[in-house]
Amino acid sequence: MTRFIINQKIKKGAIPGKPVFIGKQKEENVRIRLIGFDATNFVEIELENLNEIASYKEKYANIWINIDGLHDVAILKEVGLLFNMHPIVTESIAHTGSRAKVDIEENYIFTIIKMMLLNPQKKELEAEQVSMYLTKNILLTFQEKQGDIFEPIRERLRTGKGRVRTHNTTYLKYCLLDTIVENYNFLLEVFGLRVEELEDKILLQPSKNTLKEINATKIELNYFRKTIRPTKEAISNFKSFKTDLITKKEQPFFNDLNELIHRAHENLENYKSMLSEQLTVYSTNLNNRLNDIMKVLTMFSVIFIPITFIAGIYGTNFDYIPELKYKNSYFIMLGSMLFIIISMVSYFKYKKWF
């Protein structure tokens, strides 16, 4: 449940607009990276402090500043003052449990979105908050830790491939958002294969482990839904709001982004419905198997109860019982009992009733 709920006691009674770090610290030190670029020039450097930014702003038409680590509130305050951020913006950046949103104002666009990753060991989804603050020719991104899915974009900037070097930071922001949303669809394909495999298991050979897998997958999709639903609402704002930071030439890219997130949401809902139907099918199959077991046990009961009834009345107390005079009769009886027990257990295991 810790993935769904973030402890916010530290924020209780805090002054509105004052940045307070809420979440789990994932980096020991804050890392600040700067990329400056235009059609012909490029630089990538790690900054020691924020004062170095001014010299690069004069040399390059577009600046991308990425900050890894949100626990140092002093740095967030310094960034806020340097770029004239509203206090609510810096407060939202420091709160790693913030809901996905897009705030479009006259001179900036502020976006919060969750970047989803699949932990290969735990086979669980992990979410990282990514905040983006776009002003004219400058894009600031804030991440909880180092390592992300943006490396292909950085590589295109380094090599000059594609159109990202010839466009501005608005297009760069679209590329980052597009990468995150495309990754949603990729992860949903992974879960889609998982759901289809579960369907085959339910129909061919359902077991207790199958039920565990269904429930585990359902939990992951619920966690995914917690991210996608607010993201879909937030990205739709790019269509309804107008700003000078997004030109008519760039608007179609954000419209396409809106379609991508809608597709991800629809796929997620489809997989959730499939899982619910699988649970129904699993329960039906389980009931059918139980009915089959009861039929067989009833047949045994019907056969042996009359025999047991007759034996109980007479007690097999007859004057002439040949087996009583045979010296190995007792051991034959024990062997017969053991043989019947082993045969019944083997039959039940063969039928997978155990």
Side-chain angles (χ1 to χ4, degrees):
M1 289 298 292
T2 54
R3 290 188 299 162
F4 288 83
I5 300 172
I6 292 180
N7 190 348
Q8 302 190 51
K9 287 183 180 179
I10 192 172
K11 194 180 179 183
K12 189 176 180 180
I15 301 171
K18 180 182 178 181
V20 177
F21 176 67
I22 298 176
K24 184 179 179 181
Q25 182 175 336
K26 299 179 180 179
E27 288 291 337
E28 185 176 351
N29 299 309
V30 177
R31 182 187 184 192
I32 306 172
R33 288 177 292 171
L34 180 145
I35 291 178
F37 67 93
D38 53 41
T40 56
N41 301 304
F42 174 83
V43 66
E44 183 176 10
I45 190 170
E46 188 168 330
L47 303 179
E48 294 294 330
N49 59 72
L50 293 169
N51 295 328
E52 300 176 44
I53 295 174
S55 60
Y56 291 98
K57 286 168 64 177
E58 298 173 358
K59 296 178 182 178
Y60 299 92
N62 303 293
I63 299 291
W64 174 18
I65 301 167
N66 185 80
I67 298 176
D68 297 316
L70 307 178
H71 58 278
D72 195 331
V73 176
I75 291 180
L76 294 182
K77 287 181 179 178
E78 189 178 351
V79 172
L81 291 173
L82 186 62
F83 292 95
N84 195 28
M85 291 182 180
H86 194 282
I88 294 297
V89 172
T90 53
E91 181 185 12
S92 298
I93 293 170
H95 189 340
T96 61
S98 296
R99 195 172 190 269
K101 65 178 181 178
V102 173
D103 291 337
I104 300 177
E105 301 295 339
E106 184 178 350
N107 59 343
Y108 73 85
I109 300 175
F110 177 59
T111 306
I112 290 179
I113 191 170
K114 302 294 183 181
M115 179 168 57
M116 303 297 290
L117 300 170
L118 185 62
N119 188 314
Q121 283 77 36
K122 297 181 179 179
K123 295 183 179 179
E124 291 181 350
L125 287 169
E126 296 177 351
E128 178 188 348
Q129 179 167 300
V130 179
S131 304
M132 302 181 186
Y133 186 83
L134 175 69
T135 62
K136 188 176 181 181
N137 300 327
I138 296 177
L139 174 64
L140 292 99
T141 55
F142 303 84
Q143 301 184 54
E144 296 181 54
K145 61 181 180 178
Q146 298 182 33
D148 51 39
I149 56 176
F150 301 143
E151 196 57 34
I153 298 174
R154 294 190 184 96
E155 191 59 31
R156 293 205 299 271
L157 283 167
R158 295 182 189 116
T159 59
K161 293 181 179 179
R163 63 182 75 178
V164 65
R165 280 272 291 271
T166 59
H167 283 63
N168 57 17
T169 49
T170 300
Y171 180 76
L172 174 61
K173 178 170 183 171
Y174 156 74
C175 290
L176 299 179
L177 291 172
D178 180 72
T179 301
I180 291 173
V181 176
E182 281 285 11
N183 190 55
Y184 289 171
N185 284 295
F186 168 75
L187 291 174
L188 282 169
E189 287 180 8
V190 174
F191 280 100
L193 291 173
R194 219 186 263 187
V195 170
E196 290 180 6
E197 289 173 1
L198 284 170
E199 189 171 2
D200 293 336
K201 288 182 180 179
I202 291 170
L203 294 175
L204 298 175
Q205 198 174 10
S207 64
K208 291 181 180 179
N209 288 333
T210 307
L211 182 60
K212 290 180 181 178
E213 289 181 40
I214 292 174
N215 287 327
T217 305
K218 196 168 186 180
I219 289 171
E220 295 309 305
L221 289 181
N222 282 332
Y223 184 62
F224 214 149
R225 189 168 183 257
K226 179 177 176 281
T227 296
I228 285 184
R229 285 191 66 184
T231 303
K232 180 172 74 74
E233 296 171 11
I235 288 178
S236 65
N237 288 337
F238 283 114
K239 292 187 70 176
S240 56
F241 286 90
K242 301 298 179 183
T243 172
D244 292 338
L245 290 172
I246 301 177
T247 64
K248 289 183 178 180
K249 186 179 179 180
E250 294 157 345
Q251 188 63 51
F253 294 115
F254 289 94
N255 293 344
D256 180 69
L257 187 66
N258 193 53
E259 292 178 8
L260 279 176
I261 191 63
H262 272 79
R263 187 177 73 191
H265 184 260
E266 287 174 1
N267 289 337
L268 176 63
E269 294 301 322
N270 288 336
Y271 293 141
K272 278 180 59 63
S273 297
M274 289 174 67
L275 279 176
S276 298
E277 292 172 3
Q278 286 177 359
L279 279 173
T280 303
V281 172
Y282 178 85
S283 299
T284 303
N285 287 344
L286 198 64
N287 290 332
N288 289 337
R289 289 187 67 209
L290 185 60
N291 289 336
D292 291 338
I293 294 170
M294 293 305 297
K295 285 179 184 178
V296 174
L297 294 179
T298 302
M299 289 169 60
F300 277 105
S301 300
V302 169
I303 293 171
F304 286 102
I305 283 176
I307 299 174
T308 306
F309 175 72
I310 294 171
I313 291 176
Y314 290 98
T316 63
N317 296 317
F318 299 99
D319 291 335
Y320 182 71
I321 303 177
E323 294 85 355
L324 292 177
K325 296 181 179 180
Y326 185 60
K327 64 178 182 179
N328 294 321
S329 295
Y330 177 71
F331 301 104
I332 292 173
M333 182 188 69
L334 291 180
S336 300
M337 290 180 179
L338 185 61
F339 174 75
I340 292 171
I341 292 171
I342 293 173
S343 299
M344 295 295 288
V345 170
S346 300
Y347 178 76
F348 292 156
K349 284 189 174 181
Y350 172 74
K351 286 290 189 178
K352 300 191 184 304
W353 293 351
F354 281 162

